[in-house]
Amino acid sequence: MGFSALFRHFDKDYHAFWANTMAEGSNISNESGLYVGVRFLPAKFVTLSAYSDVYQSEWFNYSTAGPARSWDIFTQANFQISEKLSAYLRFKNEEKDQKFKNENRYINLPERVQKLRFHIQFQASETILLKTRAEHVYYKGEESENGFMLFQDIQFKPKEFPLNLAARLAWFHTESYNSRIYAYENDILYAFSIPAYYGEGFRTYLNIKYQPAKKIECWLKLANTWWTDRETISSGYNEIAGQHKTELKFQLRLKF
């Protein structure tokens, strides 16, 4: 069993440009909080972990209109069913004061986001890895919303060929951007991608790494998002006519 606790306090007038510590905000200032976490193994193949974080700010910031309080709770159960099959079940609840416009002024109102995720990973063979995930988000602000996402991943790495392939097919349905769902994607070298799934539609991507020689490596990523609930994507100078948005990346590395 493991237990940890951490108290933090950063004055609203404290500024440290290179500070890097545990905090809810990106700026290490205007925050006080208490974090408590626990981890234990109730059975041979089960690991339970949980934490709670209570924090507050004494001054307004970009997302609040004044002093605000927040509370997070996170629980996760990991299951190692066999050498080839594992899964986890995760629940997170976050409640915090957020800035909302009321008539001609901004005020703080409570906002709640609840996330429930079930993830399975299966090593089908020495060359094929399968990942399946289902996730639900409940958002409660001025209105209530729900979001759903389901994806299937496959990773293929043959033994005698210098190729690494990762692909995904995802379906998502959220009522707005407030109930968006994030999911990590494989990407080219030194890049990462965690897109927000919102609206209704499908997302697919294919990421390939190929090493034709010892000192030559190349990556290719092709991704497409298809929204079924709109005829245009984004707005302003970023507006795209149609329902599809496609991304293409290529990278070549030569070692000397």
Side-chain angles (χ1 to χ4, degrees):
M1 178 177 178
F3 175 82
S4 60
L6 175 67
F7 173 77
R8 62 190 185 275
H9 173 71
F10 310 111
D11 192 83
K12 65 182 179 66
D13 295 321
Y14 174 73
H15 301 285
F17 295 105
W18 307 111
N20 185 14
T21 185
M22 177 180 174
E24 176 66 18
S26 56
N27 296 324
I28 310 302
S29 65
N30 188 33
E31 183 175 321
S32 299
L34 176 63
Y35 168 92
V36 177
V38 63
R39 181 176 181 269
F40 60 98
L41 287 73
K44 185 178 180 181
F45 62 93
V46 180
T47 302
L48 298 179
S49 56
Y51 75 77
S52 181
D53 190 23
V54 181
Y55 51 96
Q56 64 180 16
S57 57
E58 59 182 276
W59 194 245
F60 67 87
N61 55 41
Y62 72 95
S63 63
T64 62
R69 295 184 176 183
S70 305
W71 174 61
D72 294 351
I73 186 169
F74 171 97
T75 60
Q76 180 167 310
N78 291 72
F79 306 94
Q80 190 64 49
I81 303 169
S82 67
E83 292 184 358
K84 296 183 178 181
L85 181 62
S86 62
Y88 69 81
L89 180 64
R90 174 185 298 177
F91 173 78
K92 183 179 181 181
N93 181 84
E94 182 177 8
E95 299 181 22
K96 57 184 178 182
D97 293 333
Q98 287 288 89
K99 178 172 63 179
F100 290 90
K101 191 171 185 179
N102 182 18
E103 295 181 350
N104 295 323
R105 65 191 184 99
Y106 287 100
I107 61 173
N108 280 345
L109 292 175
E111 181 184 70
R112 177 191 299 174
V113 179
Q114 293 180 339
K115 301 179 181 180
L116 180 63
R117 175 190 295 179
F118 182 61
H119 183 95
I120 301 176
Q121 181 169 304
F122 176 56
Q123 189 74 50
S125 67
E126 294 184 3
T127 59
I128 297 177
L129 176 65
L130 301 176
K131 298 179 181 179
T132 306
R133 178 180 300 176
E135 188 161 350
H136 170 258
V137 168
Y138 170 75
Y139 170 85
K140 175 63 177 177
E142 292 183 302
E143 299 180 354
S144 298
E145 297 181 11
N146 288 279
F148 301 89
M149 188 268 293
L150 178 66
F151 77 58
Q152 178 62 58
D153 279 6
I154 180 170
Q155 295 182 12
F156 175 64
K157 187 176 182 180
K159 284 184 176 182
E160 301 177 355
F161 193 72
L163 177 72
N164 195 336
L165 182 150
R168 168 177 298 172
L169 172 61
W171 167 83
F172 55 92
H173 182 139
T174 76
E175 296 184 47
S176 80
Y177 187 76
N178 290 327
S179 51
R180 62 194 179 275
I181 299 175
Y182 292 96
Y184 171 83
E185 293 182 356
N186 295 82
D187 213 311
I188 62 177
L189 183 66
Y190 303 133
F192 69 94
S193 179
I194 311 177
Y197 293 70
Y198 63 94
E200 299 178 30
F202 299 87
R203 180 169 174 84
T204 58
Y205 82 84
L206 175 65
N207 192 71
I208 300 174
K209 176 188 175 182
Y210 177 56
Q211 188 172 5
K214 186 176 181 180
K215 296 185 178 182
I216 301 176
E217 294 175 308
C218 54
W219 289 261
L220 174 69
K221 182 177 180 180
L222 177 64
N224 175 266
T225 305
W226 171 30
W227 280 275
T228 58
D229 62 340
R230 63 198 66 190
E231 297 298 328
T232 59
I233 302 168
S234 193
S235 60
Y237 291 111
N238 296 320
E239 183 174 305
I240 300 173
Q243 298 175 295
H244 293 267
K245 182 178 180 180
T246 302
E247 307 157 48
L248 178 62
K249 299 178 183 179
F250 177 76
Q251 186 176 55
L252 175 66
R253 182 168 75 162
L254 305 176
K255 299 179 182 179
F256 298 97

